[in-house]
Amino acid sequence: MSNTEQTGQAGQAEEAGRAAADEQSLGAAGERLSTAPDQDPEPASAGLPALGFVGWIRWFWRQLTSMRVALILLFLLSLGAIPGSLIPQNGVDETKVAAFKKSHETLAPIYEKLQLFDVYSSVWFSAIYILLFVSLIGCIVPRTGQFVGQLRSRPPAAPKRLTRLPAYTTWRTGATPEQAREAALTLLRKNRFRAHAAGDAVAAEKGYLREAGNLVFHIALIVMLVAFAAGQLFRSEGGKLIVEGDGFANTLSQYDDFRSGSLFSLDDLSHFSFELKRFTGTYEATGPQRGTPRTFEAGITYSEDGGPDKEAVVRVNEPLEVDGAKVYLIEHGYAPVVTVRDGKGEIVRRSPVPLLPLDANVTSQGVVKVKDGYRDKNGRRDQLGIPLFFVPTFAGEGQGQMFSVFPALVDPRLSVSAYHGDLRADSGVPQNVYQLDTSKMKPFKDANGEILKKQLKPGETFTLPDGAGSITFEREVKEWASFQISQQPGNGWALTGAVAAILGLVGSLFIQRRRVWVRAVEGEDGVTVLEMAGLGRSESAKLPEELAELAAALHSVAPTAPPAPADDAPANDAENRDAAGHDPVDDGAEPAEEAVPAEGASQ
């Protein structure tokens, strides 16, 4: 073996011995400054006996409650929410789900098997959710017990050799050891350290809120998970389209569509009603933002549980909160008033017809369905289906088509055609109110055999052929607003948990837990030697800076002792001369003072 190799091995052995000595010299003072659960050492040999059933259960529990697995589960939960946001969900919009299945015949069966149309109630999402919940509880319970124990305990006594710590300073002071320790105790407590006298030193500790922030963060995650579960189980959400002048009572039969959690009861519906008095929509008339909404609000009158009427204005992102429910303004459109007469001129229907907007300029379409009361000129019962196409600001004259160029009611037009026959309303198959099933119906045609259509201005009438009746576009055009009524019992707790999680995370990241020791002992010459040292959970430049500030404050109370006086008569005159035989005093040199380490210096 070469000398270089021997030297390297000796250096490694020396380094290992020094590390062991350091660990032994720090003792209890060097224990970990966190409440993370202890990790079992790795097995020393592969020949150990098998874990057994109980051993595997313990191993699985330790893995599940580790911080690494909790973060992985949280990441998986976030990934699992992505398809729930991108793919239509059965619990949100069944119509979009049906449309997706129709247009994606290959993907739809795969999505069905993977439960991607019901992500938040799927087996795999629930498994991640429950495992994360258990993991967080398994992390919090032991850490909380250890944290409470640390709060009740005192900071450990000073290590035997303070020079081993990362931040250290010392000086000699004229104060007695008792006076120096008392001054240090007062100073540390003034700086919000938990401090006490321990033998010949003062032990202090600070930064417990770091672990408190860590625990608050994990508890807040549990609160958010519970709030999310409660919101899904006890929620209710429904939509209602209301024309100006109409009202709504919060009962199941009043909703156009309604969804609720599995534990929701109809008795939990809030007791209130409201009426849409007016809808106000104004738009930018000129410039590059022409047609952009400027005012979008619904003026309503509402009452709670049969109480007095109150007035309110509902705007986008400014819902009405009433009896634990929130009423959101979602959409708006036009409802032209249409009158339908039969072959004898009798009115069989006269009402506003809500039309579905198709674009930003509120080009709209819809259907009038006359199921009962209509008779042709011979008195025979029949059914009418009347497709409508509406534009609030007409354009396209002479171009063979009509379209809207502005969303406000400037020059409204209504395109009308008509069918007669069986609407199939009693077939048992649900129908879209904005669509017409013409499979069992015949269109009214003109003399050329083409489907009869006509564009109407307000007040004009479309007369059906063969005395079948007429359709009148009245001068009144009402507006409608679509509202979403939502009850989410866990929203408040979820918001509280989110805020608490952010605060806890900030505390755990920016608060540093550290310990400081001040030792004062009498030296061999009778002068007090004062030592200060600090130890942090992690390396930080703030620890030496803080120790320097404390040392400076303590130095003002226990200043550096003056140097010891020189002997009056030296025993040998040669000792006062340098190597060249010159007298230092003759050279004008100043007497050397005793060296004292700089205040707050780190070693």
Side-chain angles (χ1 to χ4, degrees):
M1 181 180 296
S2 65
N3 294 335
T4 304
E5 293 176 347
Q6 292 179 353
T7 304
Q9 291 183 357
Q12 293 178 359
E14 182 181 355
E15 185 67 24
R18 185 182 299 109
D22 290 347
E23 182 177 355
Q24 184 176 5
S25 64
L26 293 180
E31 66 183 3
R32 289 177 301 124
L33 299 179
S34 71
T35 57
D38 296 333
Q39 299 293 330
D40 293 339
E42 296 293 333
S45 173
L48 294 177
L51 289 176
F53 179 76
V54 177
W56 278 110
I57 293 295
R58 289 178 178 174
W59 178 87
F60 177 78
W61 176 253
R62 291 194 183 101
Q63 297 301 316
L64 180 61
T65 56
S66 66
M67 184 64 64
R68 179 181 64 256
V69 172
L71 292 175
I72 293 174
L73 290 172
L74 188 60
F75 178 69
L76 291 177
L77 193 70
S78 302
L79 287 181
I82 294 177
S85 302
L86 301 179
I87 301 173
Q89 299 295 296
N90 282 321
V92 178
D93 195 331
E94 287 79 2
T95 304
K96 288 186 178 180
V97 173
F100 185 91
K101 291 180 179 178
K102 186 176 181 179
S103 58
H104 300 81
E105 296 181 356
T106 303
L107 283 178
I110 300 175
Y111 284 7
E112 285 274 12
K113 292 181 180 179
L114 297 177
Q115 298 180 301
L116 295 182
F117 295 117
D118 301 276
V119 168
Y120 301 110
S121 59
S122 63
V123 174
W124 55 270
F125 189 86
S126 300
I128 298 174
Y129 185 89
I130 294 173
L131 286 175
L132 178 60
F133 192 83
V134 174
S135 177
L136 290 174
I137 293 178
C139 287
I140 289 172
V141 172
R143 293 173 74 103
T144 302
Q146 295 181 25
F147 181 58
V148 172
Q150 290 183 0
L151 288 178
R152 298 178 62 183
S153 63
R154 288 186 169 187
K160 183 176 181 181
R161 301 180 65 183
L162 293 179
T163 54
R164 298 293 186 183
L165 299 182
Y168 172 82
T169 185
T170 182
W171 69 91
R172 293 157 54 88
T173 178
T176 64
E178 292 77 12
Q179 292 174 339
R181 287 193 290 268
E182 185 64 29
L185 186 63
T186 302
L187 173 65
L188 291 170
R189 287 176 176 174
K190 183 179 179 181
N191 285 270
R192 299 189 303 276
F193 279 84
R194 288 199 319 158
H196 71 104
D200 60 356
V202 173
E205 191 165 3
K206 190 177 183 181
Y208 284 90
L209 287 180
R210 178 188 182 94
E211 188 60 31
N214 196 6
L215 293 175
V216 167
F217 173 74
H218 287 81
I219 294 174
L221 289 181
I222 292 181
V223 172
M224 293 173 63
L225 291 175
V226 172
F228 176 77
Q232 292 297 313
L233 294 174
F234 296 97
R235 72 180 179 90
S236 70
E237 184 177 271
K240 179 63 177 178
L241 185 149
I242 304 175
V243 180
E244 288 177 326
D246 292 344
F248 167 80
N250 193 28
T251 59
L252 183 61
S253 59
Q254 291 278 303
Y255 282 96
D256 295 331
D257 60 87
F258 185 81
R259 300 172 297 275
S260 63
S262 57
L263 298 182
F264 179 81
S265 171
L266 293 180
D267 296 333
D268 297 330
L269 281 174
S270 302
H271 302 286
F272 68 92
S273 61
F274 66 90
E275 178 183 355
L276 177 61
K277 291 295 185 180
R278 68 191 180 281
F279 180 87
T280 304
T282 61
Y283 308 89
E284 188 69 32
T286 59
Q289 294 185 340
R290 185 174 186 269
T292 303
R294 292 306 180 199
T295 304
F296 199 82
E297 60 186 32
I300 66 173
T301 300
Y302 72 97
S303 64
E304 299 181 56
D305 203 11
D309 290 344
K310 304 176 184 178
E311 293 186 354
V313 176
V314 183
R315 301 180 178 89
V316 178
N317 297 326
E318 295 182 18
L320 170 67
E321 297 187 26
V322 51
D323 196 19
K326 291 185 177 181
V327 181
Y328 295 89
L329 176 61
I330 302 300
E331 195 176 7
H332 114 286
Y334 294 105
V337 179
V338 177
T339 300
V340 181
R341 291 179 172 85
D342 62 9
K344 295 183 179 181
E346 300 291 335
I347 296 177
V348 294
R349 173 168 177 165
R350 181 176 183 175
S351 63
V353 183
L355 302 180
L356 182 66
L358 301 177
D359 56 29
N361 288 322
V362 201
T363 302
S364 309
Q365 70 177 11
V367 176
V368 175
K369 299 179 182 181
V370 181
K371 295 181 290 186
D372 302 313
Y374 172 77
R375 296 176 184 269
D376 60 16
K377 66 177 181 178
N378 298 320
R380 290 178 300 189
R381 291 187 177 183
D382 204 354
Q383 294 181 340
L384 289 180
I386 306 171
L388 303 177
F389 189 82
F390 175 81
V391 291
T393 302
F394 173 73
E397 186 73 38
Q399 301 181 20
Q401 60 180 348
M402 57 184 290
F403 55 90
S404 178
V405 294
F406 194 68
L409 285 172
V410 178
D411 184 15
R413 298 289 179 90
L414 184 66
S415 176
V416 181
S417 60
Y419 293 76
H420 67 96
D422 184 8
L423 289 170
R424 298 181 58 83
D426 301 324
S427 63
V429 179
Q431 292 186 348
N432 191 323
V433 296
Y434 299 105
Q435 295 179 351
L436 180 64
D437 183 359
T438 60
S439 60
K440 298 293 183 180
M441 304 190 79
K442 296 180 180 180
F444 289 96
K445 297 183 178 181
D446 57 17
N448 298 324
E450 301 290 338
I451 296 178
L452 190 60
K453 297 181 180 180
K454 188 174 182 179
Q455 294 180 6
L456 302 178
K457 296 180 179 180
E460 293 184 343
T461 299
F462 172 38
T463 302
L464 299 176
D466 300 327
S470 64
I471 303 167
T472 301
F473 176 22
E474 303 293 345
R475 296 185 180 278
E476 183 181 12
V477 178
K478 293 188 175 183
E479 298 191 50
W480 58 261
S482 177
F483 296 91
Q484 177 180 294
I485 297 90
S486 175
Q487 289 183 233
Q488 296 282 354
N491 282 353
W493 284 103
L495 177 61
T496 302
V499 173
I502 294 174
L503 295 177
L505 185 62
V506 170
S508 64
L509 292 177
F510 294 101
I511 297 177
Q512 183 186 16
R513 190 172 174 189
R514 61 273 194 200
R515 291 169 179 164
V516 173
W517 292 274
V518 180
R519 172 174 286 143
V521 295
E522 184 176 332
E524 295 180 358
D525 56 355
V527 179
T528 301
V529 178
L530 196 149
E531 295 178 289
M532 293 186 70
L535 176 65
R537 178 180 178 181
S538 59
E539 294 184 4
S540 173
K542 293 183 178 181
L543 179 62
E545 293 175 3
E546 185 176 27
L547 186 69
E549 293 175 358
L550 292 173
L554 184 59
H555 186 271
S556 63
V557 180
T560 302
D567 293 338
D568 293 335
N572 189 349
D573 187 63
E575 294 178 359
N576 293 328
R577 299 179 180 271
D578 57 13
H582 299 118
D583 192 339
V585 177
D586 295 339
D587 293 339
E590 293 290 335
E593 294 184 354
E594 181 181 358
V596 179
E599 299 172 4
S602 300
Q603 297 184 3

